[in-house]
């Protein structure tokens, strides 16, 4: 197990990453402008698909729905990383290095899958994007659940599903949104606030997810071009899942480090 100095070093690395997330990127703002016009041109069936994805996200918070993951495959990754079988109850006591190895392995695997998914759905431009967005949201939810499990948290717990939604919202927000979300999540390590005031601001899940889909912004702009969308879809889906996985890894790792320091 890590020493106190090891945990403090890990915490400083995470805090450095958090500071980097707050930096303003000009293209994040500029890139959303075309979507003001695009929204007026979007076919009705595509808007219906987006609405379906939003409804499914709301159902995920309440019940987990069809997005809940199977943990057997993750346990096999733990066994490979540790060199011996690992029971679910043992994960919380594993060294951070083992947790990191499993999290990094999952991130690499899921981002590769997202790359091929983006390429296949980029063939038809705006028409196949109707399929791509719900699939990408679903994959994002699953990879965040895997990150939760990798650091010893139960994604079946409704409080963890709330945390996962905030991680997902964080990964697609601009620097202003990220700063606000980090402040919210900072309180999550305080047992006195968990489950009470922590998510009192989330009164409408539809509004939260609408913001999330809007924040995809420029990332989907070039995928609207048929054929060329193959390249853009592959790159952008891969990058999206890498960002989502990194956010989940760092935010869940921070919780684990803080709990061990306490």
């Amino acid at each position: 197990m890590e020493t106190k100095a090891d945990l403090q070093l890990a915490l400083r690395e995470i805090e450095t990453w958090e500071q980097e997330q707050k930096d303003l990127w000009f293209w994040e703002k500029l890139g959303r402008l075309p979507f003001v016009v695009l929204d007026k041109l979007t076919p009705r069936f595509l808007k219906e698909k987006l609405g379906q994805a939003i409804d499914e996200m709301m159902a995920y918070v309440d019940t987990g729905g069809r997005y809940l993951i199977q943990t057997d495959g993750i346990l096999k990754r733990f066994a490979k990383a540790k060199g011996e079988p690992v029971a679910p109850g043992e994960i919380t006591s594993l060294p951070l290095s083992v947790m990191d190895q499993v999290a990094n392995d999952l991130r690499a695997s899921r981002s590769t899958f997202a790359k091929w998914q983006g390429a296949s759905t980029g063939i038809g431009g705006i028409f196949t994007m109707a399929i791509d967005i719900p699939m990408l949201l679903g994959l994002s939810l699953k990879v965040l659940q895997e990150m939760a499990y990798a650091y010893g948290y139960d994604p079946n717990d409704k409080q963890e599903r709330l945390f996962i939604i905030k991680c997902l919202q964080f990964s697609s927000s601009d620097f202003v949104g990220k700063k606000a979300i980090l402040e919210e999540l900072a309180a999550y390590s305080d047992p006195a606030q968990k489950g009470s005031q922590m998510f009192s601001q989330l009164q409408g899940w539809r509004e939260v997810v609408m913001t999330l889909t809007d924040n995809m912004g420029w990332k989907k702009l070039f995928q609207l071009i048929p054929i060329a969308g193959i390249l853009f879809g592959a790159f952008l889906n891969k990058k999206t899942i890498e960002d989502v996985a990194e956010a989940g890894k760092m935010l869940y790792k921070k919780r684990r480090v803080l709990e061990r320091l306490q």
Side-chain angles (χ1 to χ4, degrees):
M1 193 59 65
E2 302 81 19
T3 64
K4 184 176 181 180
D6 292 333
L7 292 172
Q8 289 173 335
L9 176 61
L11 184 58
R12 286 196 296 271
E13 291 174 349
I14 295 168
E15 289 172 345
T16 298
W17 172 82
E18 289 180 343
Q19 288 299 320
E20 293 172 351
Q21 302 304 303
K22 297 176 184 178
D23 290 339
L24 174 63
W25 189 29
F26 173 74
W27 293 104
E28 280 287 343
K29 288 290 187 181
L30 183 63
R32 293 182 194 176
L33 295 179
F35 276 71
V36 176
V37 177
L38 182 62
D39 182 63
K40 299 182 183 299
L41 303 176
T42 302
R44 181 185 297 272
F45 80 91
L46 180 54
K47 289 185 177 181
E48 290 175 353
K49 283 291 184 180
L50 287 171
Q52 179 184 345
I54 293 168
D55 290 338
E56 289 177 354
M57 189 80 75
M58 294 168 67
Y60 166 76
V61 174
D62 290 332
T63 66
R66 61 191 179 93
Y67 293 114
L68 289 178
I69 60 169
Q70 299 294 325
T71 58
D72 292 346
I74 306 176
L75 289 174
K76 290 179 181 179
R77 294 176 189 268
F78 271 113
K80 181 179 179 180
K82 190 182 179 185
E84 61 183 17
V86 175
E90 298 175 5
I91 295 177
T92 56
S93 61
L94 293 175
L96 281 177
S97 58
V98 174
M99 294 178 172
D100 287 344
Q101 183 175 337
V102 171
N104 291 336
D105 188 25
L106 288 166
R107 181 185 182 219
S109 174
R110 302 310 179 237
S111 61
T112 299
F113 177 82
K115 178 181 70 174
W116 294 113
Q117 174 188 307
S120 62
T121 54
I123 295 174
I126 194 170
F127 301 103
T128 49
M129 201 172 88
I131 302 172
D132 183 61
I133 290 178
M135 289 178 66
L136 188 59
L137 286 174
L139 183 57
S140 297
L141 284 175
K142 289 184 177 181
V143 75
L144 284 170
Q145 290 182 80
E146 290 174 334
M147 292 297 151
Y149 199 77
Y151 287 94
Y153 297 93
D154 182 8
N156 291 316
D157 188 307
K158 185 172 183 178
Q159 288 297 322
E160 294 307 330
R161 295 202 295 272
L162 292 171
F163 190 88
I164 283 169
I165 290 292
K166 294 304 290 184
C167 290
L168 184 57
Q169 190 181 10
F170 172 88
S171 69
S172 64
S173 295
D174 59 19
F175 85 112
V176 176
K178 286 182 176 179
K179 182 178 179 181
I181 294 170
L182 284 175
E183 290 173 356
E184 291 180 40
L185 295 182
Y188 203 81
S189 297
D190 184 352
Q193 297 190 50
K194 183 178 179 180
S196 56
Q197 299 178 357
M198 184 55 228
F199 291 97
S200 60
Q201 298 180 26
L202 296 183
Q203 298 176 358
W205 290 109
R206 180 173 291 272
E207 181 180 349
V208 171
V209 184
M210 280 296 290
T211 301
L212 188 151
T213 53
D214 178 65
N215 286 345
M216 286 182 178
W218 67 275
K219 295 180 180 179
K220 290 296 179 184
L221 181 60
F222 296 105
Q223 196 173 342
L224 299 178
I225 306 171
I227 306 304
I230 296 174
L231 296 177
F232 289 114
F235 171 76
L236 295 174
N237 278 24
K238 181 176 185 292
K239 185 66 167 60
T240 296
I241 294 301
E242 285 178 344
D243 291 344
V244 167
E246 180 184 41
K249 173 188 172 182
M250 299 301 278
L251 294 171
Y252 268 109
K253 182 178 179 179
K254 182 178 182 180
R255 283 177 60 188
R256 180 57 62 200
V257 168
L258 288 174
E259 288 179 12
R260 289 187 177 179
L261 283 172
Q262 292 169 359

